[in-house]
């Protein structure tokens, strides 16, 4: 199972997940991407050191819906399955507004 981790700061929780993955404690999960809303978040460096791709999706000036769509697009780039659940939730939220 592929997992994307969302971060915004130093990444101490991310480091705990990376360490657990290295020990095999997350199996069958695999951290396939780390995404931050801040391009200079130290957590992205932690991801890089661990060999996990890092992406940034900054949100200043974006409407929430636009940010969420961009975030989902980044996550989908690292998933080879159809993310029907997330797409359905986003569609419902957009329809409600």
């Amino acid at each position: 199972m592929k997992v994307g981790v969302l971060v915004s700061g130093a990444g101490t929780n991310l480091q705990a997940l990376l360490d657990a993955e290295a020990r095999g404690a997350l199996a069958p999960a695999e951290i396939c991407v780390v995404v931050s809303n801040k391009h200079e978040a130290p957590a992205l460096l932690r991801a890089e050191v661990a060999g996990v791709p890092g992406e940034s999706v900054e949100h200043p000036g974006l409407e929430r819906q636009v940010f969420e769509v961009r975030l989902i697009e980044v996550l989908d780039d690292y998933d080879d399955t159809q993310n029907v659940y997330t797409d359905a939730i986003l569609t419902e939220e957009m329809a409600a507004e």
Side-chain angles (χ1 to χ4, degrees):
M1 164 189 349
K2 293 183 178 183
V3 175
V5 180
L6 306 180
V7 299
S8 63
T12 54
N13 290 328
L14 169 65
Q15 189 63 57
L17 290 170
L18 293 168
D19 293 345
E21 181 180 33
R23 291 190 313 271
L26 291 184
E30 165 199 359
I31 300 172
C32 64
V33 66
V34 173
V35 184
S36 177
N37 63 335
K38 299 175 183 173
H39 74 279
E40 295 182 9
L44 293 174
L45 180 57
R46 290 180 189 262
E48 182 181 338
V49 168
V52 177
E55 300 277 348
S56 175
V57 180
E58 297 205 28
H59 59 79
L62 294 179
E63 292 182 17
R64 181 180 178 101
Q65 291 173 336
V66 173
F67 172 72
E68 289 175 355
V69 167
R70 289 186 183 172
L71 182 60
I72 289 169
E73 289 171 348
V74 168
L75 293 172
D76 281 347
D77 286 345
Y78 292 88
D79 185 11
D80 54 6
T81 63
Q82 178 71 341
N83 195 343
V84 175
Y85 179 74
T86 304
D87 291 345
I89 290 174
L90 185 58
T91 302
E92 288 175 17
E93 288 178 358
M94 292 172 114
E97 293 185 5

